[in-house]
């Protein structure tokens, strides 16, 4: 039976109905389970498995790979998920290729990998530049669209050439979500995300996941979770599953609003370096339109200087100055304040929420007008 994204999101991971039981069972708070005799069965100890995780993991697998066999492992955060892929697959002497314009915490991951004897190479996301340093790599890590610059690489090409060279491919799909693109369908070995962002969408949960269509690779990731104990709380997992029911509604609203905002910003003389993959004249549009079904909620642009950007952010009334993205409430920040991204001082990462687009655009344009010296 073929179903749409909204239907899938609403139904994903639900157990078979049981008379007088809730549709989505409540969170299971258990450190141990009744376990007489031999320690066999699905649930033995709370660090290994939890029924609440099971429902969520099945739900995410259904979204990441509809109709295909896939296994998801959920984690306490996006960085826990990222680290699990890297440390479960790499050994001393291996080579990993990272984007040099990706998530701000990747340099911290690099430090740890290099300390354990892993060679790390980097290249930009755009123009598939990471392929130039791929030779001899064990793992290619791509982030598309990249955060915060919104460059895009061709996942199909990256996977094809990486596999030919003997490398695995992991895709950080945080910004797109499975409704925007499905890396496993494009050939990737891992789809990874911080579910703190768009997947759960309310800014109140820290969570991450790894999905793979390869049972052996997934087992390695799951084993790593057990070793380091980077497990999600049952309440967080339950809230995340509940939040998935509105994923399609949220993402469609946010993407529509992001496009409207980007189109409005195109007309501004005080805005430079505007990026949104859904704009037909964006440098990423051609490739993005071939692999993305939705273009995401994030728009980036540059204001003339740091002070100008700060005045703009201070003037917004419907937008929170916060460092996350993908939530139902719009957020924006001057990304350079963290010091880890190679962006201008006036660079703004703007995450469009579920507000009425006309209200949001009016607020942004007013704040821009008032920010001008």
């Amino acid at each position: 039976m073929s179903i749409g994204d909204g239907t899938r999101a609403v139904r994903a991971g639900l157990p078979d109905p049981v008379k007088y039981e809730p549709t989505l069972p409540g969170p299971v708070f258990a450190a141990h389970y009744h376990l007489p005799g031999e320690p066999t069965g699905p649930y033995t100890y709370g660090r290994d498995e939890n029924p609440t995780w099971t429902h969520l993991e099945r739900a995410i697998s259904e979204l990441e790979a509809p109709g295909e066999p896939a296994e998801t492992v959920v984690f306490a955060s996006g960085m826990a998920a990222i680290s699990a892929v890297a440390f479960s697959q790499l050994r001393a002497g291996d080579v990993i290729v990272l984007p040099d314009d990706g998530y701000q915490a990747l340099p911290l991951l690099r430090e740890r990998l290099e300390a354990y004897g892993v060679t790390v190479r980097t290249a930009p996301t755009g123009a598939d530049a990471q392929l130039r340093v791929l030779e001899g790599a064990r793992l290619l890590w791509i982030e598309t669209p990249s955060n915060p610059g919104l460059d895009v690489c061709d996942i199909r090409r990256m996977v094809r050439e990486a596999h030919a060279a003997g490398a695995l491919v992991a895709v950080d799909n945080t910004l797109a979500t499975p409704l925007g693109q499905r890396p496993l369908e494009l050939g990737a070995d891992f789809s990874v995300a911080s579910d703190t962002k768009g997947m759960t969408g309310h800014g109140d949960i820290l969570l991450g996941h790894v999905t793979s269509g390869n049972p052996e690779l997934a087992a390695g990731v799951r084993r790593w979770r057990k070793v380091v104990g980077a497990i999600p709380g049952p309440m967080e997992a339950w809230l995340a599953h509940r939040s998935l029911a509105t994923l399609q509604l949220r993402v469609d609203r946010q993407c529509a609003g992001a496009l409207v905002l980007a189109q409005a910003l195109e007309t501004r003389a005080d805005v430079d370096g505007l990026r949104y993959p859904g704009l037909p004249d964006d440098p990423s549009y051609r490739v993005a339109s071939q692999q993305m079904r939705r273009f995401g909620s994030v728009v980036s642009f540059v204001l003339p200087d740091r002070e100008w950007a700060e005045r703009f952010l201070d003037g917004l009334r419907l937008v929170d100055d916060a460092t996350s993205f993908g939530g139902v409430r719009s957020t924006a920040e001057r990304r350079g304040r963290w010091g880890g991204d190679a962006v201008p001082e006036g660079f703004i990462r703007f995450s469009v929420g579920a507000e009425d687009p006309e209200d949001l655009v009016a607020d942004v344009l007013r704040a821009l007008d008032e920010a001008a010296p």
Side-chain angles (χ1 to χ4, degrees), residues 134 149 193 215:
L134 183 62

Side-chain angles (χ1 to χ4, degrees), residues 157-330:
R157 181 191 177 202
M158 303 287 277
V159 168
R160 183 172 62 250
E161 299 201 21
H163 285 174
L168 298 170
V169 180
V171 178
D172 186 329
N173 202 40
T174 301
L175 198 146
T177 80
L179 268 60
Q181 67 189 6
R182 296 192 180 113
L184 300 186
E185 289 185 355
L186 300 172
D189 300 288
F190 301 98
S191 181
V192 187
S194 168
D195 301 319
T196 308
K197 313 298 194 300
M199 282 287 276
T200 57
H202 291 80
D204 54 7
I205 303 170
L206 288 172
L207 204 75
H209 81 264
V210 178
T211 304
S212 179
N214 183 313
E216 184 177 349
L217 296 178
V221 171
R222 190 174 296 277
R223 194 159 48 245
W224 179 259
R225 182 182 68 180
K226 177 177 179 176
V227 170
V228 300
I231 59 173
M235 192 67 194
E236 285 79 2
W238 185 86
L239 288 169
H241 197 169
R242 180 211 59 178
S243 298
L244 289 181
T246 61
L247 180 61
Q248 185 257 348
L249 297 173
R250 291 185 281 106
V251 169
D252 278 356
R253 176 69 170 221
Q254 290 167 286
C255 291
L259 180 59
V260 170
L261 176 62
Q263 290 169 335
L265 292 173
E266 280 187 304
T267 66
R268 299 287 304 198
D270 50 356
V271 168
D272 193 20
L274 175 66
R275 296 298 305 271
Y276 183 64
L279 286 173
D281 57 352
D282 186 273
S284 294
Y285 179 77
R286 182 186 64 81
V287 175
S289 62
Q290 294 171 356
Q291 63 192 26
M292 299 185 74
R293 297 176 300 122
R294 296 169 175 85
F295 296 105
S297 64
V298 177
V299 178
S300 67
F301 55 96
V302 180
L303 295 177
D305 54 44
R306 173 176 179 163
E307 291 72 23
W308 200 312
E310 295 288 4
R311 290 194 300 271
F312 164 68
L313 292 170
D314 288 343
L316 292 168
R317 296 170 185 166
L318 300 179
V319 182
D320 297 330
D321 192 339
T323 193
S324 194
F325 61 86
V328 291
R329 288 175 288 279
S330 290

Side-chain angles (χ1 to χ4, degrees), residues 123-133 153 158:
T125 297
D128 302 342
Q130 289 173 273
L131 293 178
R132 296 199 294 265
V133 295
C153 61
M158 303 287 277

Side-chain angles (χ1 to χ4, degrees), residues 27 42 54 59 62 78 104 110 119 142 156 158 179 217 223 227 233 253 305 337 344 372:
T54 299
E62 290 175 26
Q104 187 189 45
R110 176 177 186 165
T119 297
I142 61 181
R156 291 184 184 89
M158 303 287 277
L179 268 60
L217 296 178
R223 194 159 48 245
V227 170
R253 176 69 170 221
D305 54 44
R337 64 182 175 174

